[in-house]
Every structure is written in C-alpha cells, then in structure tokens.
Amino acid sequence: MLAGAAGLTLLTACGTSAPADAVEQQIVSQLGAATADCPDDLDGTVGAVLTCSATDATGSFDVTVTVTSLTGSDIAFDMERVS
C-alpha cells in the first residue's frame, strides 16, 4: 500500500484529550477511509502518538496520529497512513 499523509488537522479537546470518535471522523474525512477505529482518545500533549486502524476499498491499514501543537483547548495533529 502507498503511504499517505493528511495535513494539519484541528480538534477542540474535552479536557486534555480529543475524543476517539472525533479523530476517527477526521481519518474518514481527510484520508478517504470507509471506516476508522481508534483504541483511545487522543492525548492532548505535543508529541503524543495514537495508532488507529482504518479500511478502504483496498483493505485495512493503520493511521498514525501525532499531536503537533496545542492552542487553548484546540489540538492540532497530523495523520499518516502506514501499511
């Protein structure tokens, strides 16, 4: 599979994390996945990494989500499709 990356994505955090379902919605929207499943909420700490699973027409793949910055209650992160 080809690796792909989505640019900076921004979510508003609830407390110190972004809900898993909000991250999953961004994976579907930004990477064109049919489904996405994250095991936990995204920790609102710069450098925090969360690995989610997703599917599309070609099969299953993982997505690495990395927090890049925090501004107030907003969490900015990058997503990268990995095989």
Side-chain angles (χ1 to χ4, degrees), residues 5-73:
L8 185 64
T9 304
L10 187 68
L11 287 176
T12 299
C14 297
T16 58
S17 63
D21 63 340
V23 177
E24 293 162 358
Q25 290 172 357
Q26 290 300 313
I27 291 170
V28 169
S29 173
Q30 299 292 322
L31 297 181
T35 65
D37 182 48
C38 297
D40 289 307
D41 292 344
L42 178 62
D43 181 28
T45 304
V46 174
V49 176
L50 177 65
T51 301
C52 303
S53 58
T55 61
D56 65 11
T58 63
S60 300
F61 58 94
D62 288 335
V63 177
T64 301
V65 179
T66 306
V67 176
T68 57
S69 67
L70 302 171
T71 305
S73 63

